[in-house]
Amino acid sequence: MKLQPVDIVTDISGEEFREKYLKTHRPVILRGITEKWPAFEKWRLDYFKTLAGNIEVPLYDNSKPTPSSKLNQPDKVMKFGEYLDLIASGPVDLRMFLFNIFDHIPDLCNDFTFPEHLMKGFLKKYPMMFFGGAGSIVYLHYDMDLSNVFLTQFHGKKRVILFDQKYSKHLYRMPYGILSYVDPENPDYEKHPAMRYLEGYDCIMEHGDMLYIPSGVWHYMNYLEGGYALAVRAFDPSISTRAEGIFNITAMRTFDDLMKKNFGKRWWNYKSRKAEEFANQVVVENGGKGRILETV
């Protein structure tokens, strides 16, 4: 597996961004944008605690799902202020996502701006925030709607590893899904030999860094320190990519949920076998020998 550093640029023009990164589908860290936002200084732990410390929030740990796992079932629920104290005090593998903090604190939207000098089509009604303690892991995935994501890191460092969509088979992606549970930080080539042929990108995000994640690009995150990030999304310029994103959200997800509900473990085993078969094709095409994993 080969990883190369993500480019880091400062004060890039819209034309240069579109030519070098948007058109080529290449991730990049953008600097010189967020320092002008009120959020750059205001968004501290105490600030969030003051505004919404008593709100109860859903939290998720690093455990991998099983065939019987309930969809998006939180591992813990606690007050937001207590959670912020946890991530400030030291390592804790609890993340907060799928919770729209802007519904509770709408004034936060006044603390940042959308980078419209880079591209158009931002979904301004749907900014998102993600929180995590040191040691929290976000497993490899790509965004189902295939939007372009601009992710800004606050308060802490985070490692991000990215792979192009063309490497989905190498990542043992299950059909009808957008997740992979292989470990790109410590790849097990005996268990997942197709990972030997991966090529991707690697970076460490720090306070104020804005990472452009192109539509459909796989990304994995490791919170090296407790922190949080803001994600804003923009429609992809390609009409076909937008259509595929709509299909994923509606038909693909609905079908997968229906199959999980009705067939549970059998459906999980089928998808696991198919993921292994696709990965074996990659290994054989590269002159190696694939292996068959036992399903659970």
Side-chain angles (χ1 to χ4, degrees):
M1 189 174 76
K2 298 178 181 178
L3 298 177
Q4 61 177 301
V6 173
D7 288 352
I8 300 175
V9 300
T10 302
D11 294 322
I12 190 172
S13 69
E15 182 180 0
E16 185 179 4
F17 170 78
R18 290 186 288 273
E19 289 298 320
K20 286 188 176 181
Y21 301 105
L22 182 63
K23 289 183 179 179
T24 61
H25 231 58
R26 183 183 177 96
V28 60
I29 287 180
L30 306 161
R31 290 181 176 167
I33 296 176
T34 62
E35 289 87 344
K36 304 167 187 176
W37 295 353
F40 187 80
E41 296 294 341
K42 287 173 64 176
W43 284 13
R44 307 293 181 180
L45 291 172
D46 288 342
Y47 180 65
F48 287 110
K49 285 176 64 177
T50 300
L51 293 177
N54 289 322
I55 296 174
E56 289 197 337
V57 297
L59 303 172
Y60 302 81
D61 61 25
N62 288 347
S63 58
K64 296 179 182 179
T66 67
S68 59
S69 296
K70 293 183 179 180
L71 184 66
N72 297 330
Q73 178 71 30
D75 297 294
K76 286 188 178 181
V77 175
M78 67 174 62
K79 290 186 176 181
F80 189 36
E82 294 175 1
Y83 171 63
L84 294 177
D85 287 339
L86 269 183
I87 66 174
S89 63
V92 57
D93 70 334
L94 289 174
R95 296 181 295 115
M96 189 182 96
F97 69 103
L98 298 176
F99 179 83
N100 192 344
I101 194 171
F102 295 97
D103 284 345
H104 299 272
I105 320 173
D107 288 346
L108 289 177
C109 292
N110 299 323
D111 292 341
F112 65 90
T113 56
F114 292 83
E116 293 184 285
H117 65 292
L118 301 178
M119 68 177 299
K120 303 300 181 183
F122 280 94
L123 287 74
K124 295 187 176 181
K125 292 184 179 181
Y126 303 104
M128 302 179 71
M129 287 197 72
F130 305 90
F131 293 74
S136 295
I137 297 296
V138 181
Y139 290 105
L140 271 164
H141 68 286
Y142 65 91
D143 288 34
M144 184 175 288
D145 65 354
L146 299 181
S147 58
N148 292 277
V149 178
F150 293 79
L151 182 74
T152 300
Q153 180 67 16
F154 292 93
H155 190 80
K157 296 180 180 180
K158 176 190 293 178
R159 184 182 185 188
V160 184
I161 298 176
L162 309 103
F163 300 102
D164 191 270
Q165 179 70 202
K166 68 182 180 181
Y167 291 112
S168 292
K169 292 180 179 179
H170 300 61
L171 296 172
Y172 296 77
R173 172 207 177 225
M174 289 186 181
Y176 308 102
I178 58 166
L179 293 167
S180 167
Y181 296 104
V182 300
D183 184 353
E185 289 193 287
N186 302 287
D188 185 341
Y189 295 129
E190 293 299 318
K191 187 176 182 181
H192 300 122
M195 293 184 70
R196 293 181 184 274
Y197 312 106
L198 280 167
E199 295 183 13
Y201 298 91
D202 191 6
C203 67
I204 304 294
M205 295 184 68
E206 301 183 7
H207 182 91
D209 284 349
M210 178 184 286
L211 174 64
Y212 163 62
I213 303 175
S215 62
V217 165
W218 290 87
H219 42 288
Y220 164 97
M221 301 179 185
N222 182 351
Y223 285 79
L224 304 178
E225 300 171 345
Y228 34 92
L230 166 73
V232 295
R233 318 163 76 78
F235 285 121
D236 194 85
S238 167
I239 298 298
S240 61
T241 300
R242 294 191 194 187
E244 184 179 351
I246 294 172
F247 172 83
N248 290 346
I249 293 172
T250 54
M252 186 181 77
R253 181 166 62 180
T254 300
F255 176 73
D256 189 49
D257 289 344
L258 181 64
M259 295 298 285
K260 282 189 289 188
K261 180 179 179 181
N262 288 290
F263 298 101
K265 187 175 179 179
R266 288 171 57 194
W267 179 238
W268 178 282
N269 287 344
Y270 166 78
K271 296 200 298 179
S272 297
R273 287 194 302 271
K274 297 304 292 185
E276 187 68 26
E277 289 174 11
F278 294 144
N280 282 347
Q281 291 175 8
V282 171
V283 176
V284 172
E285 288 168 2
N286 285 275
K289 183 177 180 181
R291 65 184 295 270
I292 302 298
L293 294 179
E294 293 182 4
T295 54
V296 294

